[in-house]
Amino acid sequence: MTFKAEYIWIDGTEPTAKLRSKTKIITDAPAGLDALPIWGFDGSSTNQAEGSSSDCVLKPVFSCPDPIRGGDDILVLCEVLDTDMTPHPTNTRAALAELSERFAAQEPIFGIEQEYTFFKGARPLGFPEGGFPAAQGGYYCGVGSDEIFGRDVVEAHLENCLKAGLGISGINAEVMPGQWEFQVGPLSPLEVSDQLWVARWLLYRTAEDFGVSATLDPKPVKGDWNGAGAHTNFSTKAMREGYDAIITACESLGEGSKPMDHVKNYGAGIDDRLTGLHETAPWNEYSYGVSDRGASVRIPWQVEKDGKGYIEDRRPNANVDPYVVTRLLVDTCCTALEK
Ligand code: ADP
Ligand code: MN
Ligand code: MN
Ligand code: MN
Ligand code: MN
């Protein structure tokens, strides 16, 4: 069998890594992950190596059907290794793989709400050429061409994610015109992170065909417009079975240096978004509460009512690295729950 494999990886762009991909024609090989060959790229073009020693290695870690090309073609998410086969400094997946193995017995799972914004040229989709649209209010989960911008792209992206077999669990229009959300999960830490990166790639690739771009910029329009986040919903087996574990997890995130350890790794520009306005808590003050969309961490009302379930960390930016946010949450909460 001959097929096209789109090898996707995360580069070294500062302060926020970008996705890259290129196509490998594979002949006479099965499409299973284990049979996919390692490959390489020019790290000096992706901020991952010096020109004098530029080779980086791509190691397949997740593959799925390619919904864009169809047929037998596949998407292949890779981690980046140095030529000695150790994780490259930009490879944040390796540390998550190690940690999630350590805490596997607690069965941590995540659902991540990925917010993003479409742009047409230099303006968010739906923003008039000069000036601003009507103030926020009617756009969130709206309907109608005065409120909704880009639904054709969103529907195509959803369809592509489903065809790829990703664990996407929903979509909605957001508070600012041209701003949307999709959710991935609940899944294990590595699964949710791998699949979120592939869903992001599919978002950019799908939008390309519509002549619009999508951005994970956490504050795409300054001023009185909502930013874009990546609310991270999290539970362990104990949290899914009882309320004490929910409270232990919430408390652990407030201890000592934990609030800063987390927030400084929750995406570049976090202080622009976590202002205390627009349904956020200030970046430098940790809080948690039931139903509280102004808290750092929210316990959904249903969770309080049932006395079990999950918590929502509302702080991560849209541009957060899912390998990092899931690692930090597992590390902090599972360490506390282990005691
Ligand atoms: P919101 O009300 O904050 O907009 P969403 O419906 O957008 O919430 O997202 C909630 C996310 O939480 C979904 O991705 C869902 O899969 C996930 N989720 C539900 N139950 C759990 C759980 N027990 N553990 C982790 N995540 C969960
Ligand atoms: Mn070349
Ligand atoms: Mn949501
Ligand atoms: Mn949202
Ligand atoms: Mn949310």
Side-chain angles (χ1 to χ4, degrees):
M1 182 169 86
T2 295
F3 57 94
K4 300 176 196 127
E6 190 70 12
Y7 275 53
I8 300 168
W9 76 97
I10 298 148
D11 79 356
T13 302
E14 302 271 3
T16 301
K18 246 170 54 65
L19 285 166
R20 309 268 180 161
S21 75
K22 57 177 185 166
T23 309
K24 189 170 186 60
I25 305 299
I26 299 188
T27 47
D28 300 322
L33 189 62
D34 295 338
L36 291 167
I38 61 166
W39 201 14
F41 67 96
D42 167 15
S44 70
S45 298
T46 63
N47 203 31
Q48 284 166 304
E50 300 295 328
S52 55
S53 169
S54 65
D55 286 327
C56 291
V57 173
L58 292 175
K59 180 176 175 243
V61 293
F62 172 84
S63 73
C64 62
D66 180 345
I68 309 257
R69 289 180 169 139
D72 292 326
D73 298 336
I74 59 173
L75 303 178
V76 182
L77 183 72
C78 299
E79 65 177 340
V80 177
L81 306 178
D82 282 323
T83 48
D84 64 1
M85 298 298 150
T86 60
H88 187 272
T90 60
N91 176 343
T92 51
R93 188 182 191 277
L96 174 63
E98 201 179 307
L99 191 82
S100 58
E101 180 119 350
R102 176 140 67 87
F103 287 112
Q106 292 195 37
E107 298 177 29
I109 57 171
F110 289 88
I112 300 182
E113 306 168 49
Q114 177 69 69
E115 295 180 341
Y116 61 93
T117 311
F118 287 131
F119 270 69
K120 183 94 182 169
R123 307 282 288 166
L125 199 63
F127 276 53
E129 259 324 308
F132 289 89
Q136 292 184 163
Y139 306 110
Y140 171 74
C141 297
V143 61
S145 61
D146 54 335
E147 295 178 348
I148 288 297
F149 306 93
R151 196 189 297 275
D152 46 355
V153 194
V154 173
E155 289 289 331
H157 173 248
L158 174 61
E159 200 54 43
N160 284 336
C161 288
L162 292 172
K163 277 190 198 147
L166 303 184
I168 191 161
S169 49
I171 55 171
N172 61 268
E174 270 303 335
V175 174
M176 191 182 89
Q179 205 173 59
W180 295 82
E181 169 180 317
F182 64 85
Q183 302 101 33
V184 178
L187 290 165
S188 74
L190 280 176
E191 287 171 329
V192 80
S193 304
D194 288 343
Q195 295 189 27
L196 183 60
W197 277 115
V198 173
R200 286 173 174 180
W201 187 89
L202 278 171
L203 177 66
Y204 303 131
R205 178 62 191 84
T206 303
E208 202 181 294
D209 287 347
F210 290 83
V212 300
S213 62
T215 176
L216 307 186
D217 186 333
K219 196 74 185 178
V221 184
K222 308 298 167 217
D224 214 7
W225 300 91
N226 270 39
H231 297 166
T232 301
N233 301 273
F234 165 69
S235 67
T236 63
K237 187 161 184 287
M239 293 163 72
R240 294 189 290 277
E241 288 171 354
Y243 206 67
D244 286 353
I246 297 278
I247 297 302
T248 301
C250 290
E251 289 284 335
S252 72
L253 290 165
E255 271 165 27
S257 65
K258 289 298 178 192
M260 280 304 140
D261 296 347
H262 279 249
V263 154
K264 69 175 194 274
N265 290 295
Y266 276 10
I270 195 128
D271 42 334
D272 290 337
R273 178 176 146 265
L274 298 186
T275 56
L277 301 172
H278 307 112
E279 304 177 77
T280 68
W283 65 275
N284 55 354
E285 283 171 36
Y286 175 79
S287 61
Y288 72 91
V290 175
S291 289
D292 189 353
R293 286 187 159 71
S296 314
V297 170
R298 175 176 69 104
I299 302 172
W301 71 270
Q302 185 82 42
V303 173
E304 190 197 37
K305 182 165 169 285
D306 295 347
K308 60 184 180 182
Y310 64 98
I311 61 173
E312 176 192 46
D313 191 340
R314 300 177 55 79
R315 296 170 294 175
N317 268 354
N319 60 353
V320 75
D321 178 347
Y323 295 130
V324 173
V325 65
T326 58
R327 174 171 53 83
L328 289 169
L329 283 167
V330 168
D331 194 11
T332 300
C333 298
C334 291
T335 301
L337 286 163
E338 203 172 46
K339 290 192 183 129

